[in-house]
Amino acid sequence: MTRRPGVDVPLDEWLAEIPWRSLLPKAVLALAALIVVWGAVSSYYTVQPEEQAVVKRFGKVVAIKPPGLHFKLPFGIEQHFLVPTSRVLKEEFGFRTVEQRDRGTTAYRKSDAHLGESLMLTGDLKVVDVEWVVQYRVDDPNKFLHRVQEVDKTIRDVSEAVMRRIVGNSLGSDVLTIKRVQIATSAKEELQSILDSFDMGILVGTIELQDVTPPEPVKPAFNEVNQAEQERERLINEAEKLQNQQIPAARGKARQVIESAEGYRSQRVNRAIGEASRFQAIVTEYRGAPEVTRRRMYLEMLDEVLPQLGQVYVVEPDGMSPLPLMNLQPPSASAGGQSPGRSGGSR
């Protein structure tokens, strides 16, 4: 029957009966095996492809190891800290991304607690809801671990301060419409400058404005304003289109009238100059031979006028007139019912 210490037998007697000398070598072997296993386990480590390892010896950085299998001094003499240097990290403001494990997709979640990050006051005292994402990566793992105590909180606080300052210096309409890209670019440059001054070893990749909207209570009024602005833009575009159609047509018509007037002026001037030159030549000829010149002018005038008279009938002064029943009109004149010239005359 087994005797229980302190019940069936005194405790000191029970301890005295234990064969300590036979158990001591086994305990020493077990302790040595435990030390060997601990040393073996703590003497190597694996760095993943997206990471780098910062190795410390008694708290001092002695090496930065790339991805792969590495060895170190065991028993905690050297410690390694894994830093994701090749992975793109991000901080979300105004919303959170939630992974739906059952569907394998992601969804965005926004609560009242996130409004404190995204509600901002613009330069014209308007309230806007700005949601943005900061994407960055670790450029120097040593600085990332030791320069700042809370890296994520520092990045969030600095990013929020930068975004609020830039939005506060802009108009609400610009933030909601045309100035989003400019705000994101300015925020990235300023955030990178501040983080560089902290010497954190962080490289900012991009800052993207996910959504910029007015608060929920004023969205109906904002939509009405947008519709009015779109209607105004439509009317302005139609007016500009009509202007672009009518003004060139009016300018073309004015140019046509001016060119026609210029041609008419040139024609009249050239004709006047020609007639004056002709008159001067006739005067010169008339002064040299008045009678000949006068007769020549008379014959030239007859040559111009007589072809327009049509048929001319010459009768004797005492003779009888042509019979009115005779068809004295040419065929073309009788068919048309009108005479192109005189039907009779006397010379």
Side-chain angles (χ1 to χ4, degrees), residues 14-32:
W14 183 80
L15 291 176
E17 294 178 357
I18 297 177
W20 293 107
R21 292 183 179 180
S22 61
L23 294 177
L24 184 59
K26 297 180 180 179
V28 172
L29 291 176
L31 180 60

Side-chain angles (χ1 to χ4, degrees), residues 8 23-24 29 66 71 92 98-99 142 181 192 210 216 229-230 235-236 247 257 268 293-294 297 309 319 340 343:
D8 299 333
L23 294 177
L24 184 59
L29 291 176
F71 296 92
E92 298 173 339
V98 181
E99 183 178 356
N142 185 13
V181 177
Q192 184 66 65
Q210 293 293 104
E216 289 294 335
E229 291 180 352
Q230 293 175 1
L235 294 176
I236 291 175
I247 289 181
V257 172
R268 293 299 300 269
T293 302
R294 184 184 298 111
M297 292 177 63
L309 296 179
S343 60

Side-chain angles (χ1 to χ4, degrees), residues 238-256:
E238 291 181 356
E240 290 179 351
K241 177 182 178 181
L242 186 61
Q243 177 185 3
N244 294 333
Q245 291 177 349
Q246 292 187 354
I247 289 181
R251 289 176 178 173
K253 186 176 181 179
R255 190 177 298 111
Q256 179 182 2

Side-chain angles (χ1 to χ4, degrees), residues 69-254:
L69 179 63
H70 303 279
F71 296 92
K72 63 179 179 178
L73 297 178
F75 308 117
I77 298 175
E78 288 185 351
Q79 295 178 334
H80 71 283
F81 299 89
L82 300 178
V83 180
T85 55
S86 299
R87 189 186 311 163
V88 177
L89 308 176
K90 68 177 181 178
E91 295 292 338
E92 298 173 339
F93 298 84
F95 69 99
R96 296 295 183 271
T97 301
V98 181
E99 183 178 356
Q100 299 178 352
R101 297 182 179 179
D102 55 343
R103 299 181 181 178
T105 59
T106 58
Y108 299 104
R109 178 172 57 87
K110 186 178 181 66
S111 62
D112 295 338
H114 302 149
L115 291 177
E117 301 172 350
S118 58
L119 286 181
M120 300 182 186
L121 191 65
T122 62
D124 53 352
L125 302 180
K126 294 181 180 179
V127 180
V128 293
D129 188 2
V130 182
E131 299 175 0
W132 77 98
V133 178
V134 178
Q135 295 181 345
Y136 65 95
R137 65 180 182 86
V138 179
D139 188 46
D140 191 330
N142 185 13
K143 295 180 180 180
F144 178 78
L145 289 176
H146 302 105
R147 296 298 182 183
V148 178
Q149 185 174 4
E150 298 182 1
V151 177
D152 296 341
K153 188 175 185 304
T154 301
I155 294 176
R156 294 189 65 86
D157 292 343
V158 175
S159 178
E160 185 174 347
V162 169
M163 188 62 68
R164 288 185 180 278
R165 189 196 66 80
I166 295 176
V167 172
N169 292 333
S170 305
L171 297 177
S173 58
D174 294 341
V175 176
L176 292 169
T177 54
I178 62 176
K179 209 174 179 181
R180 297 178 59 174
V181 177
Q182 182 180 351
I183 290 175
T185 304
S186 301
K188 173 190 173 183
E189 295 175 354
E190 188 169 344
L191 177 61
Q192 184 66 65
S193 177
I194 296 175
L195 296 181
D196 290 342
S197 66
F198 293 164
D199 200 17
M200 294 177 56
I202 297 294
L203 182 62
V204 179
T206 59
I207 292 182
E208 297 181 359
L209 296 182
Q210 293 293 104
D211 195 10
V212 181
T213 59
E216 289 294 335
V218 300
K219 273 189 177 180
F222 178 77
N223 293 333
E224 292 180 0
V225 171
N226 284 338
Q227 292 177 359
E229 291 180 352
Q230 293 175 1
E231 183 67 17
R232 182 189 65 179
E233 293 295 331
R234 185 183 66 83
L235 294 176
I236 291 175
N237 293 334
E238 291 181 356
E240 290 179 351
K241 177 182 178 181
L242 186 61
Q243 177 185 3
N244 294 333
Q245 291 177 349
Q246 292 187 354
I247 289 181
R251 289 176 178 173
K253 186 176 181 179

Side-chain angles (χ1 to χ4, degrees), residues 322-342:
L323 295 176
L325 299 178
M326 294 179 63
N327 185 11
L328 302 179
Q329 301 293 334
S332 59
S334 61
Q338 293 182 357
S339 174
R342 294 177 59 185

